[in-house]
Amino acid sequence: MSGAAESFEQRVKIFFDKANGGNPITVGQLCRVITSACPNFKGTHQEIAQMFMEIDSDSDKLISWDEFRKALLAKEHKEVTRTELEIKFKELDTDKSGKLDIGEVRKLLKALKINVSEDHLNKLFKAADPNNDGAIDFEEFLKAWAE
């Protein structure tokens, strides 16, 4: 596991533990964890309930850390939520400018163990930066992720 993924997992584990002292969590606790961790969360309680049912692999109406961890690490890239992307974006924005520069995108690809040439990286960056300001803001990041 990469250092970035490990760090992300550790932070998520802290929120998980805060929800119920490390014990399996209920749908209500999951809701509180998500809204606490992501104040700008735009999803509904119904969407969180649906997410809960998908994660609760043994259907016991509780999510254990193992279930939560597996779900977290097994997501397909198109299934990642806006909130998850917002968290990752802020994590990658090391200079806290609200935008990603090409160096920050390079670190992202490296953390994901995606090897690309410098030329390919430049093409990817240019495609994700339609206003050509040399940086990718969150909305541009979302659009690029969806493609």
Side-chain angles (χ1 to χ4, degrees), residues 22 31 40 42-43 46 53 55 69 89 99 101-102 122 124 131 134-135 142:
C31 219
N40 297 327
K42 304 228 185 299
Q46 187 174 7
M53 291 186 322
I55 295 170
R69 184 179 178 279
F89 183 88
K99 297 182 177 189
D101 62 34
I102 197 161
N122 287 326
L124 289 171
N131 65 0
L142 285 177

Side-chain angles (χ1 to χ4, degrees), residues 9-29:
E9 183 179 338
Q10 289 168 345
R11 284 198 308 281
V12 171
K13 176 72 168 126
I14 290 167
F15 280 109
F16 184 90
D17 289 347
K18 283 182 181 179
N20 196 22
N23 296 313
I25 60 175
T26 65
V27 69
Q29 290 165 326

Side-chain angles (χ1 to χ4, degrees), residues 43-85:
T44 65
H45 289 268
Q46 187 174 7
E47 289 170 329
I48 293 172
Q50 178 63 38
M51 186 186 336
F52 182 92
M53 291 186 322
E54 291 169 10
I55 295 170
D56 184 18
S57 60
D58 62 5
S59 300
D60 66 352
K61 298 192 182 356
L62 295 169
I63 296 178
S64 68
W65 169 245
D66 286 338
E67 287 172 320
F68 194 77
R69 184 179 178 279
K70 282 179 192 170
L72 180 72
L73 300 177
K75 283 196 168 273
E76 291 293 325
H77 113 256
K78 296 288 185 183
E79 296 176 339
V80 176
T81 67
R82 180 184 174 95
T83 300
E84 290 167 320
L85 287 173

Side-chain angles (χ1 to χ4, degrees), residues 81-94:
T81 67
R82 180 184 174 95
T83 300
E84 290 167 320
L85 287 173
E86 187 175 359
I87 291 168
K88 189 49 111 175
F89 183 88
K90 288 178 181 177
E91 199 175 282
L92 294 169
D93 183 17
T94 55

